[in-house]
Amino acid sequence: MFDHYPKWAQEFAQKYLSRTINQFILHGNVHDLVPLQDKGGTDFVRLKSFLSEEFFGARDYVIFYDRSSGIYFRDKETQKDFNQALAGRDSLVGTDYANKLPKDPVRVFSLLEQYFRVRIDSNKSIALIVDYAETIVPMNEAGSTATEDRNALVYLSRWAHDPMFLAADFTTALITENLADLNKTLVQNPYTNEIKIGIPEQKERKQFISHELPGDEFKEISEVSKTVVAQQTAGLNFINIRSILSNALQNKEKITHDRLAEAKKELIEAEAYGLLEFVETDYSLDDVAGHTKVKEHLRHAVAALKNGRQDVLPMGYLVCGSVGTGKTFLVTCFANEVGIPMVKLKNFRSQWQGVTEGNLEKILGLLKAMAPVAVMIDEADAYLGDRDASGDSGVSSRVFSQIATFMSDTRNRGQILWFLMTARPDLMPVDLKRQGRAEEHLALFPPHTEEERIELYEAMKKKTGLELTEDYVPQVIAQGLKSFSGADMEAALTRAKFRAAAEGKEKVTPEILDLALNDFLPPTYPEEVELQTLSAVIECTSKELLPERYQEMDRGEILSKIEELKYRIG
């Protein structure tokens, strides 16, 4: 009966036909087009047009309301009937609403309720569509909710469970982008149901491209096929795709893989309000010095993804190690090899009530739509918080719960790959580190053998662009006279370049390099670094990935040493 509707609309129709609920919250991709199939093919219409003309097309009256526009109507017949009812009320009460309708929610809902009750008594069918519902009943703590918001909430709650409204052919549809932006009392009301409108799937995206540019029109503006464009636009909605196609048409710029990737990056970052950042680099795992076993493990993950074996991949990785061991660089290089986009979560927290949860809901929805995708979270111990956080009205606890729940959804295995990076894994809650979330714990360590030190030196020479007057490996590195992490090495080689430039030289001589390396004094926090190193050892979930010197160490002794270091550091 509803096969020509998208999935969310089919769910909407089935729940309404149960006759137990008449109030629905439509959230998610609400500002996009809706695909509507008919005998002539697939058409794409705006959500409010779909609701008023198709979904509620058989209703006698369809009324819209939002704070900016006030009350407006599907057709002139509805408007005429409403004005007649209003004129009768004006004559009785002495108001002049027939000539100038109010826009504030309380007076609007008062008028609408009176109108609804009269028309329901006459066996008329009615649908009310409230757009930007978060501006009518916003997310607030009970004690800080304004009187107007409370009154609006009472009206909506009453319509949802009033026997008269439930028995009639009456529906209220509240539209909002983020469910977290709405008052929790309304969302959790057992008489209210939420319907999520998702980002279009690949099949729908391909249908839309064919609808916008049928026949040979598409070939004239694209060097890649419709199927490839549909695949590569995962995470974009129909409006975003129309923007890409229109740009190609208007500017005579053909769609290529590179242009498509760049456009997708810009559109998704804009769609996420700048809360997501794509991770891009020209480096690969070949540019990572040392960490041989870890690189080998990650390359097996790359092979599994490319072979379609998502089922063998972990839900996520915890990458730990002391400062300067190259955690961020390693994961960034992995992003270049893996063949799927990698994004970095930026600061989504806000001082305003409800905005933080709304931002996170938006981000998680986009990640699901973009799948397969890898997600990088640096300094995860500080970024993600824990369930016991306090002092912010429970926001941090709710954020932690949202992320933890999302990470443990096994439907996302191989689709959303998490990389949590931290120098202090001991500070992270067990909930995020457990199996089923960040399952693989990878530990990174500073170079220990001569081979590892020289490999790090060569890698940092390449990264810093250091040019020597001759091939040369300093003794301080080869013999391990000083301990350099990756960050230390990069800083020391940059100083050598600085010294050469100060002497007016284009290239660095061995003498200048030795001088810079011997002069370099890295900030020393020996106890902190040892604590971070031992924490990485104890967290690693694979004995094979540990350096030999740590493989046979007694874990009880390591734990005792960690506790001692924590006490001494304070």
Side-chain angles (χ1 to χ4, degrees):
M1 183 178 178
F2 304 107
D3 291 347
H4 60 300
Y5 285 174
K7 289 180 182 177
W8 67 264
Q10 293 180 31
E11 180 189 356
F12 189 0
Q14 289 166 359
K15 288 184 176 179
Y16 173 72
L17 289 175
S18 70
R19 310 296 291 179
T20 57
I21 295 176
N22 68 9
Q23 190 167 100
F24 297 86
I25 302 171
L26 306 182
H27 64 102
N29 187 33
V30 296
H31 302 307
D32 199 14
L33 303 174
V34 178
L36 184 60
Q37 296 179 4
D38 56 33
K39 292 180 181 179
T42 303
D43 196 11
F44 294 84
V45 297
R46 289 283 184 178
L47 175 61
K48 285 192 287 186
S49 298
F50 170 77
L51 291 175
S52 63
E53 296 169 18
E54 176 65 32
F55 197 87
F56 297 127
R59 298 292 173 95
D60 295 315
Y61 307 121
V62 177
I63 300 174
F64 297 93
Y65 170 66
D66 66 62
R67 265 188 181 275
S68 175
S69 304
I71 303 172
Y72 53 108
F73 309 91
R74 176 186 63 187
D75 47 47
K76 290 182 179 179
E77 287 75 15
T78 304
Q79 184 173 7
K80 182 180 177 181
D81 184 78
F82 186 81
N83 287 340
Q84 285 176 347
L86 209 55
R89 181 190 185 281
D90 286 344
S91 63
L92 287 173
V93 184
T95 54
D96 190 30
Y97 288 151
N99 293 319
K100 187 176 181 180
L101 287 171
K103 290 187 178 181
D104 62 284
V106 176
R107 287 191 295 169
V108 164
F109 287 172
S110 176
L111 290 178
L112 288 175
E113 180 166 300
Q114 293 175 43
Y115 176 73
F116 293 156
R117 290 187 181 278
V118 171
R119 291 299 175 259
I120 287 173
D121 270 342
S122 303
N123 291 320
K124 297 296 184 181
S125 56
I126 304 169
L128 171 65
I129 300 169
V130 181
D131 205 358
Y132 301 100
E134 72 278 3
T135 65
I136 312 297
V137 278
M139 167 60 187
N140 281 314
E141 294 298 324
S144 62
T145 305
T147 302
E148 182 185 79
D149 296 342
R150 292 183 188 184
N151 290 340
L153 178 62
V154 169
Y155 276 110
L156 290 170
S157 299
R158 185 163 64 222
W159 298 345
H161 63 72
D162 189 311
M164 179 182 182
F165 284 78
L166 282 170
D169 196 2
F170 173 84
T171 310
T172 307
L174 308 174
I175 301 174
T176 184
E177 191 171 10
N178 290 325
L179 195 62
D181 292 342
L182 280 183
N183 190 293
K184 285 202 302 185
T185 304
L186 182 70
V187 175
Q188 295 171 357
N189 189 331
Y191 294 98
T192 301
N193 204 283
E194 310 103 48
I195 304 291
K196 182 167 184 178
I197 303 176
I199 300 290
E201 297 179 354
Q202 182 178 328
K203 180 182 177 182
E204 295 171 322
R205 296 195 297 271
K206 187 174 180 181
Q207 286 176 338
F208 180 73
I209 295 167
S210 298
H211 174 269
E212 291 290 293
L213 296 172
D216 293 332
E217 289 183 50
F218 178 79
K219 293 180 181 178
E220 294 175 8
I221 66 157
S222 179
E223 293 181 5
V224 294
S225 68
K226 289 181 183 178
T227 301
V228 172
V229 174
Q231 289 172 342
Q232 296 301 312
T233 49
L236 300 184
N237 61 28
F238 295 129
I239 299 294
N240 297 147
I241 296 170
R242 177 178 281 173
S243 174
I244 292 173
L245 299 178
S246 297
N247 179 68
L249 277 171
Q250 298 300 322
N251 297 321
K252 309 298 181 186
E253 294 179 353
K254 286 205 168 188
I255 296 173
T256 62
H257 283 286
D258 291 341
R259 286 188 187 278
L260 194 57
E262 186 61 30
K264 176 180 174 179
K265 172 180 173 294
E266 291 174 1
L267 287 167
I268 286 182
E269 287 180 348
E271 196 75 18
Y273 314 129
L275 303 172
L276 281 181
E277 177 186 345
F278 279 75
V279 178
E280 296 177 306
T281 182
D282 293 327
Y283 297 107
S284 70
L285 289 174
D286 289 331
D287 297 297
V288 176
H291 313 313
T292 306
K293 292 287 186 181
V294 173
K295 288 191 293 184
E296 183 181 339
H297 177 87
L298 290 176
R299 281 191 163 132
H300 287 320
V302 171
L305 272 170
K306 290 183 176 178
N307 292 330
R309 289 302 309 274
Q310 287 90 347
D311 59 305
V312 303
L313 292 171
M315 298 290 286
Y317 291 90
L318 174 65
V319 184
C320 46
S322 61
V323 290
T325 48
K327 297 182 291 295
T328 303
F329 185 63
L330 174 80
V331 175
T332 304
C333 290
F334 172 81
N336 194 35
E337 288 198 13
V338 72
I340 61 174
M342 176 173 279
V343 295
K344 186 176 184 179
L345 267 62
K346 300 173 77 173
N347 184 23
F348 57 82
R349 297 174 188 269
S350 170
Q351 61 178 322
W352 305 112
Q353 183 73 38
V355 174
T356 297
E357 295 97 316
N359 286 344
L360 183 56
E361 183 182 320
K362 177 77 173 178
I363 289 170
L364 298 181
L366 272 173
L367 291 179
K368 201 165 183 68
M370 288 169 62
V373 63
V375 186
M376 174 197 295
I377 301 182
D378 215 344
E379 307 298 342
D381 57 296
Y383 189 92
L384 297 176
D386 60 54
R387 66 172 71 254
D388 298 321
S390 59
D392 57 1
S393 301
V395 172
S396 293
S397 296
R398 291 194 294 272
V399 163
F400 175 84
S401 176
Q402 274 181 277
I403 293 177
T405 301
F406 188 83
M407 285 181 65
S408 62
D409 187 345
T410 53
R411 291 173 297 179
N412 296 329
R413 185 180 294 277
Q415 296 296 313
I416 301 176
L417 197 57
W418 296 85
F419 283 88
L420 312 182
M421 295 168 291
T422 177
R424 290 293 304 275
D426 54 303
L427 297 180
M428 285 187 64
V430 176
D431 310 60
L432 294 179
K433 298 188 293 184
R434 70 167 176 81
Q435 297 303 294
R437 289 184 178 138
E439 295 177 337
E440 288 281 359
H441 299 185
L442 307 178
L444 306 185
F445 302 94
H448 182 68
T449 64
E450 179 180 350
E451 181 184 1
E452 289 174 341
R453 291 192 295 269
I454 293 175
E455 187 182 359
L456 178 63
Y457 165 69
E458 295 294 341
M460 287 305 159
K461 269 176 58 182
K462 181 179 178 181
K463 186 179 180 184
T464 58
L466 178 75
E467 293 186 35
L468 287 169
T469 55
E470 58 184 270
D471 287 336
Y472 178 68
V473 177
Q475 290 301 304
V476 68
I477 291 172
Q479 296 178 11
L481 302 177
K482 272 189 178 182
S483 177
F484 289 92
S485 68
D488 294 339
M489 185 78 74
E490 184 176 357
L493 297 187
T494 301
R495 289 191 188 185
K497 289 174 64 180
F498 178 83
R499 284 175 178 266
E503 295 180 17
K505 297 178 179 177
E506 291 290 329
K507 295 185 177 182
V508 177
T509 64
E511 292 76 21
I512 290 175
L513 181 58
D514 281 336
L515 189 61
L517 291 171
N518 289 319
D519 177 69
F520 181 74
L521 292 174
T524 53
Y525 318 104
E527 291 185 332
E528 285 89 340
V529 170
E530 186 180 3
L531 172 60
Q532 293 169 358
T533 301
L534 293 178
S535 295
V537 172
I538 213 71
E539 282 293 342
C540 187
T541 53
S542 172
K543 186 176 181 180
E544 184 184 7
L545 297 181
L546 287 173
E548 287 184 17
R549 63 187 182 281
Y550 294 123
Q551 287 183 4
E552 303 305 327
M553 287 182 70
D554 182 83
R555 296 180 75 82
E557 290 182 14
I558 296 175
L559 288 170
S560 298
K561 182 66 174 176
I562 288 173
E563 291 305 315
E564 179 188 339
L565 287 167
K566 284 183 179 179
Y567 177 77
R568 281 159 53 183
I569 292 168

